[in-house]
Amino acid sequence: MHDDRSLVEARLRRVLDERIRPAVYPESVPLDVAVWHAPGEPVPVAEGLAAEPEPIAVGARWGAPWGTSWFRVTGTVPEEWAGRTVEALLDLGFDENMPGFQCEGLVYRPDGTPVKGLNPRNQWVRVGAPVAGGEEVRLHVEAASNPVILDYHPFRPTWLGDKDTAGHEPQYTLTRMDLAVFDETVWQLVTDLEVLGELMAELPADGARRYEILRAVERALDAVDLQDVNGTAERARSCLAGVLAVPAAPSAHRISAVGHAHIDSAWLWPLRETVRKVARTTANMTALIEEEPEFVFAMSQAQQWAWVKEHRPEVWARVKKAVAEGRFVPAGGMWVESDTNMPGSEAMARQFVHGKRFFLDEFGIENDEAWLPDTFGFAAGLPQIIRAAGSTRLLTQKISWSRTNKFPHHTFQWEGIDGTRIFTHFPPVDTYNCSMKGSELAHAARNFKDKGRARHSLAPTGWGDGGGGTTREMVAKAARLRSLEGSPTVVWETPADFFAKAEAEYPDPPVWVGELYLELHRATLTSQAKTKQGNRRSEHLLREAELWAATAAVRAGFAYPYEELDRIWKTVLLHQFHDILPGSSIAWVHREARATYQRIAAELDGIIDAAQRASAGEGDRPLLFNAAPHGRSGVPAGGAGPEQPTGEVTVSDRPDGGHVLANGILRVEIDARGLVVSVYDLDADRETVAPGTAANLLQLHPDFPNQWDAWDVDAFYRNAVTDLTDTDELTAGEDGRSVRVVRSFGSSRVTQVLSLPPGERRLLIDTEADWHETEKFLKLAFPLDLHAERYASETQFGHFHRPTHTNTSWEAAKFEACNHRFVQLEEPGWGVAVVNDSTYGHDVTRSVRTDGDRGTTTTVRVSLLRAPRFPDPETDQGIHRFRHALVPGAGIADAVREGWRINLPERRILGARDVAPLVTVDDDAVVVTAVKLADDGSGDVVVRFHEAHGGRARATLTAGFEVADVTVTDLLERPSGAPAPDRAGDAVSLRLRPFELVTLRFRRA
């Protein structure tokens, strides 16, 4: 037989596009359209409905960037359509290739009842099925003219990312506003042909099944009268029934489809627009649930559920009904799908506390999985946080984006720093926006790395990023794929049902230990420095506010600010979303974030000040409040008292130019270039800076990645570097303990103050950068005379090690990584830490000196600033302030202590009395991360702590109040089931494993 596959396949494509798809709507009449453009930000629904619109015609331009237009469409169903299905087709000017990334709408009835959302892949509104004829149609569309930021030529700078710079030119052309007859038979034929055509393309060219489908498709196309598609569609469908009825092979891969609409809580749109995106999507999904009995939809991010409840109560009522039916499923148990690399320990814990508590309070539902399909890698501390929140599973997809190494598993146990393991699935479909295409499903089956041991995978199905969700077309495809020879089987299931099957069939999956590093988007650890600083500062202010408010509540009857702290925590958690904290959103998002962090800081400072004054009383004694988990300046952790003097610092001139700082512990030489050429540890009789090098070296790289500008830094950035050694000013500080260095380069200026605090083993470096570069990357380098094959990097509730070498491609790919407050390197008996108050990105490299002592130079470089132009063309322009410290002779214990110290500066007030700590621990390895009152308002004191040094710890934790009872709890402050610790009066005895996380709840007597 002659091979005519290409002929038939080409025929199928043309006939579908030009004849059959247009016949889905064989008759139509235009609707009358009028529009009212809201003058500013979106208005309440009642105001939009009541506004008086003006006529507008199809073909007219509309929609200034970020505007809102209210369309009113009216018409009458023709009498001759009686008995038929009629839909309104409302095309606002959509590009079908951009669902979620351009204009959208929410349709309302005249009484304000929401009907469904409109987007490029969902343009219809059902009027009647069947209609009687003569019905009056009146619909209102709240249309958002969101500009296209990520266009067909992506990553080009655009000013559309902020309403203040986007202009006012209309962006869209009103394309179609019709009433139309919907021919379901033709629509079903389209779906039949799409499913078979897509399946056929994935089957072996020499396989019988492919030819069986080919011949059936050919017969169907022969059966269609191209001049009467509607009259012959049923006949064509009958030609396909046989091949559609052949069941899947018993060995077929099994896909659990979960309705999904990944909605970025902010990205190429501001937070306020996400509120509306969620409303549109949930309106669509609840409507689809009512129409499709097998369909199940899952939505994560408790914040987005809360937005629906607050802003769209009518949609919320439909959501609650669907949740009660088990069809609309809360997923993930987090407040938002946050970044997991940068949030601190408590913040990561509170993501689960607030997320899970919302779903419990609203629905009595506690889901067992963390749901993070799009997050840019996963910190090694996350597994025990998931477990401590009462969950045991994780779903992610983003690791498939890694560019260097292919991750070896799709279903596995992920082991964190403390040994906790979480059952993890990484869908082999390689998208969280599956649309039920044959190519997607075939890829999932081929790609699945656990074949032979497991056969289930999950497919998040629906348009996402900008929302939209699952469509009726996807549901119709899934129905045909339930059991179809040549295809994986597809069934709609909840995440819980999928995980139960996956765990049952694969009880001993492989184990992956340590971080799930994404070999892409590494620059998200640095972009938008002020957003990152706002997050770090807010996290530590919240710690202080809870600590001092709890202390004052127990000791002085202070009114604990439950509601204020709850609201502020949720705001901070929202801004940890994986396109806000990573710096990958438009300018509008980060402009608002900066203002939000300023408001939060002012409010928390007010709470802290009031609580400290309540505890200390009115008086004139100078008191130092120490919120860090370690004592300092003679003041215990979590207490307040008089500051103890700690020694002196001298500044002298260096013979060859520059200055020498000394405090009896360290001697620091700063040369005439303002560079640190020596940091001598007097106790250890050892030099810190590698021979022939200089520390505190600012280095400037070109930074123009191949794509994803705000997200990526590519390895080739290292090929060119400029050391910034020219000095404008070099002077000794007036305080007698510091040196000031000023440098200019390009259009920028950096001022640094280097200081030695008295009695302390740390060189402080305060950097102010007036940054006006473009597509540049600024690093701060510390070349160390240290031989280390690995280094420690702080993460949530502990630290983990990365290699300093590049033996394998896995190690070489980690050329930019995340730390929290410190990185630390050591040889046996002596180490060095670099601590920071607000930076995350860094790199560590090593080289062997070829002359002199032939020793090893290990260089730690802190990432300070970038200047990408997409999606925010003015990223990081302006003034920034950073604080770092170089700590010679630092072991892990020192790194932990100094990391906390630099992030929690002392507070000094006048008061009447010392303040004793609310809790004390007698072992510095046990670090208290939270002291607070229980969220339920009982007055119980909750204390969270962990072993921070990576070893075993035996300690006594003593409460500074009378204790009636103590309970081990989960993160949500519920009894965990673990035995109560041994207690003697107000003290409990602790035995902790390495990095073990514990929460205790103390009931006060």
Side-chain angles (χ1 to χ4, degrees):
M1 180 183 290
H2 298 297
D3 185 355
D4 62 349
R5 285 181 299 114
S6 60
L7 185 69
V8 177
E9 290 166 1
R11 180 186 178 195
L12 172 61
R13 287 192 294 271
R14 184 175 187 194
V15 171
L16 256 179
D17 287 343
E18 297 185 22
R19 292 293 189 271
I20 301 179
R21 285 196 184 97
V24 170
Y25 294 103
E27 300 177 55
S28 64
V29 295
L31 288 160
D32 293 323
V33 189
V35 66
W36 174 74
H37 303 293
E41 283 293 278
V43 299
V45 173
E47 184 177 343
L49 294 174
E52 189 60 40
E54 297 181 353
I56 185 173
V58 167
R61 299 284 289 171
W62 72 279
W66 306 114
T68 299
S69 298
W70 282 83
F71 290 95
R72 185 187 66 196
V73 295
T74 56
T76 304
V77 176
E79 298 285 354
E80 59 270 24
W81 289 0
R84 304 170 79 177
T85 298
V86 174
E87 294 180 345
L89 300 181
L90 308 177
D91 186 342
L92 301 173
F94 296 127
D95 179 337
E96 289 194 358
N97 295 316
M98 292 188 177
F101 291 91
Q102 53 170 225
C103 59
E104 301 173 43
L106 183 56
V107 180
Y108 293 89
R109 295 189 180 93
D111 64 0
T113 304
V115 181
K116 68 188 295 285
L118 297 177
N119 63 58
R121 296 297 180 104
N122 212 324
Q123 304 178 18
W124 58 273
V125 179
R126 181 64 56 89
V127 172
V131 295
E135 292 96 333
E136 294 297 322
V137 176
R138 185 184 181 95
L139 298 171
H140 298 262
V141 181
E142 181 191 20
S145 50
N146 302 331
V148 176
I149 307 293
L150 193 66
D151 213 332
Y152 288 101
H153 300 286
F155 319 125
R156 291 187 177 177
T158 173
W159 295 102
L160 291 171
D162 195 325
K163 64 176 181 179
D164 292 342
T165 59
H168 304 283
E169 287 299 313
Q171 304 168 94
Y172 296 103
T173 300
L174 199 62
T175 302
R176 186 176 187 182
M177 292 280 172
D178 289 347
L179 283 179
V181 172
F182 174 71
D183 189 327
E184 183 167 355
T185 302
V186 176
W187 183 82
Q188 296 286 5
L189 175 61
V190 169
T191 308
D192 291 344
L193 290 169
E194 285 182 347
V195 167
L196 291 170
E198 291 166 3
L199 172 59
M200 182 169 57
E202 299 300 323
L203 293 172
D206 57 355
R209 176 63 169 163
R210 180 160 183 165
Y211 280 91
E212 289 171 359
I213 295 173
L214 185 79
R215 295 305 161 212
V217 167
E218 184 177 42
R219 290 192 296 273
L221 296 177
D222 290 341
V224 173
D225 182 344
L226 298 186
Q227 276 66 54
D228 185 16
V229 172
N230 301 88
T232 55
E234 190 60 54
R235 185 171 67 195
R237 290 199 72 202
S238 68
C239 298
L240 303 173
V243 289
L244 285 168
V246 182
S251 61
H253 184 68
R254 299 177 181 180
I255 291 178
S256 297
V258 179
H260 189 238
H262 176 63
I263 305 177
D264 287 313
S265 290
W267 179 27
L268 306 180
W269 44 86
L271 287 167
R272 67 91 154 143
E273 192 55 35
T274 313
V275 174
R276 302 200 295 176
K277 283 178 173 286
V278 173
R280 296 171 200 132
T281 298
T282 51
N284 268 351
M285 295 305 95
T286 52
L288 195 59
I289 283 170
E290 292 173 358
E291 296 161 4
E292 301 290 348
E294 294 186 353
F295 175 61
V296 176
F297 181 77
M299 189 169 90
S300 68
Q301 307 193 73
Q303 171 68 88
Q304 296 187 359
W305 292 70
W307 280 334
V308 179
K309 180 181 179 182
E310 178 183 357
H311 296 282
R312 292 293 189 272
E314 301 88 350
V315 179
W316 179 248
R318 289 159 52 176
V319 167
K320 288 205 302 182
K321 177 177 179 291
V323 171
E325 295 168 353
R327 310 272 307 286
F328 199 118
V329 182
M334 295 174 67
W335 190 246
V336 294
E337 289 181 12
S338 73
D339 180 80
T340 75
N341 285 313
M342 291 176 283
S345 303
E346 272 304 306
M348 202 73 253
R350 304 300 174 96
Q351 285 286 353
F352 288 91
V353 169
H354 287 283
K356 296 195 83 169
R357 188 171 287 150
F358 180 89
F359 293 137
L360 282 164
D361 290 347
E362 295 295 335
F363 308 114
I365 291 174
E366 181 167 8
N367 41 14
D368 199 34
E369 75 288 333
W371 185 275
L372 292 164
D374 190 31
T375 296
F376 309 150
F378 300 89
L382 188 57
Q384 74 164 329
I385 297 173
I386 295 173
R387 181 79 66 168
S391 297
T392 61
R393 300 157 170 170
L394 169 68
L395 179 131
T396 180
Q397 186 278 320
K398 198 71 172 188
I399 301 300
S400 68
W401 285 42
S402 285
R403 292 297 172 84
T404 306
N405 299 284
K406 192 83 170 172
F407 196 76
H409 318 298
H410 282 107
T411 300
F412 59 99
Q413 292 277 8
W414 179 29
E415 181 177 318
I417 57 174
D418 74 320
T420 296
R421 291 181 176 180
I422 294 295
F423 189 86
T424 302
H425 182 65
F426 161 31
V429 71
D430 280 353
T431 178
Y432 47 81
N433 296 325
C434 177
S435 62
M436 283 291 132
K437 282 184 179 178
S439 57
E440 295 170 333
L441 305 185
H443 174 75
R446 286 193 299 264
N447 189 39
F448 188 53
K449 298 196 179 303
D450 303 288
K451 289 188 283 282
R453 293 185 178 273
R455 60 194 308 184
H456 283 84
S457 71
L458 185 144
T461 302
W463 300 115
D465 288 320
T470 319
T471 65
R472 62 182 179 185
E473 288 78 14
M474 297 174 194
V475 176
K477 284 187 171 185
R480 288 156 174 81
L481 297 166
R482 189 177 186 91
S483 181
L484 181 62
E485 184 187 358
S487 170
T489 65
V490 177
V491 61
W492 294 105
E493 289 190 301
T494 66
D497 288 341
F498 161 75
F499 274 109
K501 290 180 178 178
E503 288 179 311
E505 74 173 0
Y506 207 6
D508 57 345
V511 177
W512 181 270
V513 178
E515 65 180 331
L516 292 171
Y517 179 91
L518 177 63
E519 296 171 351
L520 192 74
H521 292 359
R522 301 168 182 90
T524 58
L525 304 173
T526 305
S527 296
Q528 297 287 359
K530 283 190 169 65
T531 299
K532 291 170 171 57
Q533 289 178 322
N535 173 73
R536 179 78 70 85
R537 181 69 175 135
S538 297
E539 289 179 351
H540 288 84
L541 285 171
L542 278 161
R543 170 194 170 83
E544 288 193 84
E546 289 182 338
L547 169 66
W548 300 126
T551 302
V554 172
R555 296 276 166 69
F558 182 75
Y560 191 81
Y562 292 101
E563 292 183 2
E564 293 90 338
L565 291 173
D566 179 80
R567 171 177 46 78
I568 294 170
W569 262 119
K570 288 173 179 174
T571 302
V572 172
L573 298 178
L574 167 59
H575 286 78
Q576 291 177 341
F577 179 74
H578 66 252
D579 277 307
I580 303 179
L581 180 54
S584 47
S585 288
I586 55 174
W588 188 348
V589 173
H590 293 289
R591 172 171 57 79
E592 289 191 331
R594 292 191 292 271
T596 297
Y597 285 130
Q598 288 178 350
R599 291 195 301 271
I600 285 172
E603 189 170 359
L604 289 173
D605 278 331
I607 292 171
I608 291 164
D609 183 69
Q612 289 178 338
R613 294 185 184 282
S615 295
E618 294 292 332
D620 57 4
R621 294 184 67 228
L623 297 173
L624 182 149
F625 276 78
N626 176 21
H630 310 93
R632 61 182 174 190
S633 302
V635 179
E643 184 174 5
Q644 302 299 317
T646 55
E648 296 182 355
V649 179
T650 63
V651 182
S652 58
D653 291 337
R654 189 168 175 267
D656 296 330
H659 303 278
V660 178
L661 294 168
N663 66 357
I665 300 171
L666 300 177
R667 186 182 71 241
V668 178
E669 295 189 34
I670 302 163
D671 71 5
R673 301 170 299 170
L675 300 178
V676 176
V677 292
S678 174
V679 179
Y680 205 82
D681 183 341
L682 299 172
D683 292 337
D685 190 23
R686 172 153 181 174
E687 177 59 60
T688 305
V689 180
T693 69
N696 189 44
L697 174 64
L698 291 165
Q699 295 184 302
L700 194 65
H701 294 270
D703 184 20
F704 188 62
N706 288 344
Q707 56 182 351
W708 299 108
D709 296 43
W711 294 255
D712 284 357
V713 55
D714 290 330
F716 55 74
Y717 89 92
R718 289 179 170 176
N719 296 349
V721 61
T722 301
D723 292 343
L724 303 178
T725 59
D726 293 341
T727 306
D728 297 349
E729 299 178 32
L730 178 62
T731 56
E734 295 180 0
D735 59 2
R737 61 175 65 174
S738 65
V739 172
R740 182 172 181 267
V741 186
V742 181
R743 307 183 194 280
S744 298
F745 55 93
S747 301
S748 302
R749 179 182 174 94
V750 172
T751 302
Q752 291 184 298
V753 176
L754 289 76
S755 60
L756 273 184
E760 296 179 13
R761 184 182 297 277
R762 58 177 180 156
L763 170 64
L764 278 174
I765 302 167
D766 290 284
T767 302
E768 179 180 284
D770 190 2
W771 178 248
H772 297 283
E773 303 309 298
T774 298
E775 295 166 353
K776 296 290 192 294
F777 196 4
L778 185 64
K779 291 263 189 176
L780 180 63
F782 300 90
L784 308 174
D785 187 9
L786 197 73
H787 178 84
E789 293 185 358
R790 65 177 193 168
Y791 71 96
S793 175
E794 190 186 32
T795 188
Q796 293 98 1
F797 297 111
H799 61 269
F800 70 105
H801 291 91
R802 296 188 183 97
T804 60
H805 57 75
T806 55
N807 280 358
T808 71
S809 60
W810 293 88
E811 292 148 355
K814 296 183 180 182
F815 59 82
E816 184 79 4
C818 182
N819 67 280
H820 286 189
R821 288 168 290 225
F822 69 80
V823 296
Q824 186 266 349
L825 310 88
E826 66 180 57
E827 297 173 0
W830 194 83
V832 178
V834 178
V835 301
N836 71 84
D837 75 340
S838 59
T839 56
Y840 297 91
H842 70 277
D843 69 273
V844 178
T845 55
R846 66 199 298 269
S847 62
V848 175
R849 300 187 285 273
T850 57
D851 54 4
D853 65 357
R854 301 177 67 185
T856 301
T857 298
T858 305
T859 301
V860 177
R861 298 200 309 162
V862 175
S863 302
L864 294 182
L865 290 164
R866 298 183 68 238
R869 300 184 65 209
F870 181 87
D872 176 2
E874 292 194 321
T875 301
D876 280 332
Q877 301 299 296
I879 295 176
H880 304 269
R881 295 178 179 87
F882 308 96
R883 171 168 276 201
H884 295 84
L886 181 69
V887 189
I892 279 292
D894 303 297
V896 171
R897 181 186 65 251
E898 295 300 334
W900 278 101
R901 181 170 193 162
I902 202 169
N903 281 274
L904 286 166
E906 300 94 332
R907 291 178 183 264
R908 294 172 175 84
I909 69 168
L910 298 178
R913 54 185 176 268
D914 292 2
V915 179
L918 205 55
V919 295
T920 58
V921 184
D922 65 357
D923 184 348
D924 277 355
V926 179
V927 170
V928 174
T929 59
V931 178
K932 60 191 288 293
L933 295 193
D935 291 341
D936 62 7
S938 63
D940 293 354
V941 176
V942 172
V943 182
R944 188 151 32 250
F945 52 89
H946 69 288
E947 195 289 317
H949 296 173
R952 302 272 173 167
R954 299 181 67 173
T956 299
L957 187 150
T958 304
F961 51 90
E962 190 175 351
V963 175
D965 189 24
V966 60
T967 306
V968 181
T969 74
D970 65 7
L971 294 180
L972 276 72
E973 302 170 7
R974 306 171 299 188
S976 69
D982 293 336
R983 180 165 71 94
D986 301 329
V988 295
S989 298
L990 307 171
R991 291 193 178 198
L992 274 68
R993 303 185 310 275
F995 301 126
E996 183 178 0
L997 166 63
V998 179
T999 305
L1000 295 182
R1001 180 170 179 150
F1002 292 86
R1003 184 164 59 86
R1004 289 189 279 157

